[in-house]
Amino acid sequence: MKKNKIFFAFACSCILFAALTGCNNSPADDNNKVNESPKSSEKQILTFLFLKEDNTAFTDAGALGTIDELSKKIGVILSNGTDITKLKARFRLSDGAKASVNGKTQESGKTENDFTAPVNYTITAEDGSTQIYIVQVTVAPAHPAVP
């Protein structure tokens, strides 16, 4: 009878040990990462503008871009005479997204680009998916002199 109690206690201990160490209800990937939250697929430019404080050649305080989300195009009109060859754009992206131009990482308010031709901003979401926005900067024509 004593042997049965010892065997029963041993068997219960083994089952409990196996249950605690062998079962994992959390999904794990090849790198043993447990409970990693899904990565976002959001990849939008939410705001796009140029500010005088970032661009010393500006005569205006700044210019806000118009974002057409359907066509993924952004238009910005700057004052006549503005040098658009070395502009630093300020932008806000979807949470976790990153921006690049021709493979170069863009920092809002810091990275210069030449806007004499349309500039393609590639926005990369956390999940690695991408979206391209085309930014077109237009310099307003000079006003004719009034006689």
Side-chain angles (χ1 to χ4, degrees):
M1 182 74 155
K2 190 173 184 181
K3 285 184 178 182
N4 286 343
K5 286 184 181 180
I6 293 173
F7 177 76
F8 181 75
F10 177 76
C12 289
S13 297
C14 288
I15 291 170
L16 182 61
F17 178 77
L20 293 175
T21 60
C23 295
N24 183 357
N25 292 332
S26 302
D29 64 13
D30 293 339
N31 296 324
N32 293 325
K33 293 179 184 174
V34 178
N35 288 334
E36 188 174 294
S37 60
K39 294 184 178 183
S40 173
S41 63
E42 293 295 315
K43 48 193 170 283
Q44 286 184 289
I45 295 179
L46 303 171
T47 59
F48 191 94
L49 64 148
F50 297 106
L51 295 175
K52 183 174 181 70
E53 64 192 71
D54 301 329
N55 299 283
T56 55
F58 263 42
T59 54
D60 295 331
L64 180 63
T66 302
I67 301 172
D68 181 342
E69 192 56 42
L70 290 176
S71 67
K72 306 297 186 210
K73 292 183 180 180
I74 301 172
V76 185
I77 300 173
L78 301 178
S79 296
N80 181 269
T82 303
D83 179 11
I84 61 172
T85 61
K86 295 180 181 178
L87 291 179
K88 298 174 189 172
R90 285 258 178 132
F91 50 83
R92 189 169 64 87
L93 308 174
S94 301
D95 289 341
K98 308 256 186 253
S100 64
V101 171
N102 295 324
K104 182 179 179 184
T105 300
Q106 301 293 294
E107 289 186 63
S108 180
K110 295 182 180 181
T111 310
E112 284 184 353
N113 288 295
D114 181 350
F115 287 90
T116 55
V119 175
N120 292 342
Y121 275 74
T122 301
I123 311 304
T124 305
E126 288 178 326
D127 69 359
S129 60
T130 60
Q131 177 64 61
I132 295 175
Y133 282 79
I134 301 169
V135 179
Q136 175 73 53
V137 174
T138 305
V139 177
H143 295 297
V146 178

